[in-house]
Amino acid sequence: QVQLVESGGGLVQAGGSLRLSCVASGPTVSVYNMGWFRQAPGKEREFVAAISYNGGSTNYRDAVKGRFTISRDNAKNTAYLQMNSLKSEDTAVYYCAASRGLLTAHLYDYNHWGQGTQVTVSS
């Protein structure tokens, strides 16, 4: 069973940066693709970024391309989301998730989820 714990959220001014971390535990975490999703109040959870199990492939939603960078360190069982040039519309709870198989942006392909970390961007 994979367990995921996010950290790094907080309050930041528009234009600022944050780095989210997701520490995974379990016997085979290095074979999982890792994804970041977010959910704003009153809205559905949406895909943000994903990275393949070996870090060789990444995928981003258009709204964050050029501002966010996903990465992972398998030696530390940790995935990261570096968020730069933050905007008020990035305000949401950010969730880390793990999936097997093809790299995907579909929420229902992810079997394991963290508890989420709040990111608030003030304008």
Side-chain angles (χ1 to χ4, degrees):
Q1 181 73 9
V2 176
Q3 294 185 324
L4 306 173
V5 179
E6 304 97 332
S7 63
L11 174 64
V12 64
Q13 289 188 333
S17 298
L18 282 174
R19 188 176 81 156
L20 305 183
S21 299
C22 173
V23 178
S25 60
T28 56
V29 293
S30 62
V31 302
Y32 283 83
N33 304 318
M34 301 298 293
W36 287 96
F37 290 76
R38 66 187 180 187
Q39 188 166 17
K43 295 188 177 181
E44 294 185 352
R45 194 170 298 189
E46 64 182 19
F47 170 76
V48 176
I51 187 166
S52 60
Y53 71 98
N54 62 358
S57 297
T58 57
N59 190 15
Y60 298 89
R61 73 179 296 109
D62 286 346
V64 307
K65 285 181 180 178
R67 299 189 298 122
F68 291 11
T69 302
I70 190 171
S71 61
R72 67 189 297 161
D73 183 342
N74 283 347
K76 296 181 179 179
N77 288 339
T78 303
Y80 304 96
L81 185 68
Q82 177 67 44
M83 305 186 295
N84 298 329
S85 302
L86 283 161
K87 305 175 181 180
S88 57
E89 51 263 45
D90 295 318
T91 294
V93 177
Y94 282 71
Y95 296 91
C96 174
S99 73
R100 296 288 303 271
L102 295 177
L103 194 63
T104 175
H106 299 296
L107 183 149
Y108 296 105
D109 290 330
Y110 288 79
N111 314 97
H112 307 281
W113 292 84
Q115 82 291 348
T117 185
Q118 176 70 48
V119 171
T120 303
V121 183
S122 63
S123 56

